[in-house]
Amino acid sequence: MSVVPLQALPLDRLRQRTSTKWRSYPDDVLPLFVAETDYPLAPAITDALTRAVLLGDTGYTPPDPGLGDAFSGFARRRFGWTVDPASVSSTCDVMMGVVEILRRVIAPGERVVVMPPVYPPFYDCVEEAGGVVERVPLAVSDQGWRIDLDGVGRALEEGARAVLLCNPQNPTGTVHSRDDLAALASLAARHGVAVISDEIHAPLTHAPARFTPFLSVSEEAASVGYCVTSASKTFNLAGLKCALMIGGAEPQRSLLRALPPEVGWRTGLFGALAGVAAMSPESDPWLDSLLVALDDQRRLLTDLLATHLPDARYLEPDAGYLAWVDVSAYGWGDNPATRIRRDARVALHHGPLFGAEGRGHVRINIGCAPEILAEAVERVGTLARR
């Protein structure tokens, strides 16, 4: 039986939302910047949150809200990855988890490898943890992006003490290969450094790509690695504040257990309730429908760019709903999103925030209705023809 694409909510209803996406700009601006999606919640999530509100269940998050068991089942079903529920702990959000782990695996002033173009908070999190960013840009070709293993190796030989990995990569949507992840794990093990893998976009991997959890790659990966993830990007739950941290082997699990109790207390109760519902088998059909919709959207963007912005460069992402588009050919400067928002009334994410490699680029959120994406690209295309 074919899976029906999930339908985005109508624009008039979306504009009633009070989140960042819908309150940052006037109503004449189409917002395709921040990583929020326009789809209805999975029914299991709506049911869980409605029940909590009706019960007044708005107190503190319990010590075990069921996240370990829920994630273990989800990882087995979606990734073929066996996870011990006892290895899973929680906190407020993924970047907070990254900071807490980094603080314990590096000393102040030590360098942390970051692979741009990459999610802008990576840079801030390294600094917040007391580290110094060591940039090792992804290697890029006509086929896409991959980890520059030689560059990472040099950085580790020169003293970098941790690697902050984004898998799948934000903003490019790259799903890093098993071979590259295994090679990265070997480098980290050889130099005795930690790898922290942000895998928040993993459930949104599009066929034929296959997501490989870093901790599952090898014993070496488990011996050096941490996974930090959340249901928030896939199920549009960012405002509810719940992220998971998983240790690959006993030393990493011991480190997570030794984190101050306040780290776990930061987990939002509604985030935990929604996360358990999201990762339950009941939500799998919703996720399957979302993936069909996003697959359609990434292909639609290819067609729209060919029609309205033929000089733009874009590779369909392996995962997620974020499209990385090079519009430098149009001469809109290093940060084209500024002119696009001003003159075309479309809000896109600023390319240079992802690193110097983002000059002349924009990131487009395609997690919306096809007609919204079409209108946005048409508006930008009109700007290109002026």
Side-chain angles (χ1 to χ4, degrees):
M1 180 183 296
S2 61
V3 178
V4 176
L6 193 63
Q7 298 297 305
L9 295 170
L11 186 59
D12 60 346
R13 185 169 176 188
L14 290 167
R15 290 205 181 277
Q16 297 176 44
R17 290 182 173 180
T18 61
S19 60
T20 291
K21 183 174 185 179
W22 299 101
R23 287 294 180 269
S24 295
Y25 301 107
D27 283 356
D28 66 331
V29 174
L30 288 177
L32 279 73
F33 66 112
V34 72
E36 298 179 25
T37 56
D38 296 352
Y39 303 98
L41 290 178
I45 296 173
T46 300
D47 290 347
L49 295 178
T50 300
R51 182 174 187 273
V53 170
L54 292 175
L55 288 172
D57 189 8
T58 53
Y60 292 109
T61 306
D64 181 11
L67 290 164
D69 287 333
F71 181 75
S72 179
F74 186 83
R76 183 178 61 254
R77 295 191 315 275
R78 307 302 298 198
F79 311 137
W81 178 27
T82 300
V83 177
D84 180 357
S87 71
V88 180
S89 56
S90 69
T91 190
C92 181
D93 58 38
V94 164
M95 291 298 100
M96 187 173 289
V98 167
V99 170
E100 294 296 343
I101 295 170
L102 275 177
R103 282 174 173 157
R104 287 152 182 86
V105 300
I106 64 168
E110 289 186 327
R111 287 175 289 130
V112 178
V113 171
V114 171
M115 305 178 198
V118 75
Y119 186 49
F122 271 34
Y123 306 102
D124 298 332
C125 285
V126 171
E127 294 178 3
E128 184 180 346
V132 176
V133 171
E134 176 81 5
R135 288 170 28 90
V136 181
L138 296 177
V140 61
S141 70
D142 290 341
Q143 286 71 48
W145 297 263
R146 63 181 299 184
I147 297 169
D148 179 0
L149 292 165
D150 291 337
V152 173
R154 286 192 297 270
L156 299 185
E157 288 171 2
E158 294 168 2
R161 297 304 302 157
V163 176
L164 187 48
L165 173 67
C166 194
N167 182 36
Q169 190 88 11
N170 174 4
T172 65
T174 305
V175 172
H176 296 299
S177 72
R178 175 177 288 274
D179 287 347
D180 282 357
L181 295 175
L184 176 64
S186 293
L187 285 171
R190 185 183 315 154
H191 293 279
V193 306
V195 176
I196 304 171
S197 184
D198 172 358
E199 300 183 356
I200 197 169
H201 294 276
L204 296 173
T205 300
H206 306 294
R210 291 182 60 85
F211 171 73
T212 303
F214 178 75
L215 299 183
S216 74
V217 166
S218 64
E219 291 185 5
E220 285 180 318
S223 73
V224 299
Y226 302 84
C227 168
V228 188
T229 190
S230 174
S232 62
K233 286 293 187 289
T234 299
F235 294 91
N236 202 43
L237 305 174
L240 300 186
K241 297 302 180 183
C242 176
L244 307 178
M245 302 174 289
I246 302 98
E250 185 51 37
Q252 288 72 34
R253 297 171 188 179
S254 295
L255 182 148
L256 294 178
R257 288 195 295 269
L259 291 174
E262 186 61 31
V263 174
W265 277 110
R266 294 168 184 160
T267 307
L269 177 57
F270 273 24
L273 293 171
V276 170
M279 294 183 288
S280 72
E282 188 177 353
S283 292
D284 284 351
W286 181 95
L287 177 51
D288 292 338
S289 293
L290 174 65
L291 285 167
V292 173
L294 296 179
D295 187 33
D296 290 345
Q297 289 290 89
R298 64 178 181 150
R299 299 177 192 281
L300 174 61
L301 182 58
T302 296
D303 296 338
L304 291 169
L305 292 173
T307 300
H308 300 285
L309 292 165
D311 293 329
R313 299 179 61 191
Y314 159 67
L315 291 176
E316 292 174 2
D318 296 331
Y321 50 82
L322 304 172
W324 188 235
V325 183
D326 180 354
V327 293
S328 57
Y330 293 98
W332 295 332
D334 285 348
N335 188 11
T338 300
R339 182 174 177 187
I340 290 170
R341 186 178 70 248
R342 184 189 68 217
D343 295 343
R345 310 307 286 166
V346 177
L348 307 177
H349 213 322
H350 301 269
L353 293 179
F354 297 83
E357 296 73 16
R359 292 171 183 156
H361 289 68
V362 292
R363 194 191 72 177
I364 304 175
N365 181 342
I366 62 173
C368 58
E371 56 269 22
I372 296 298
L373 182 60
E375 181 177 346
V377 177
E378 288 168 10
R379 288 188 187 187
V380 181
T382 298
L383 176 62
R385 292 189 292 274
R386 290 181 184 174

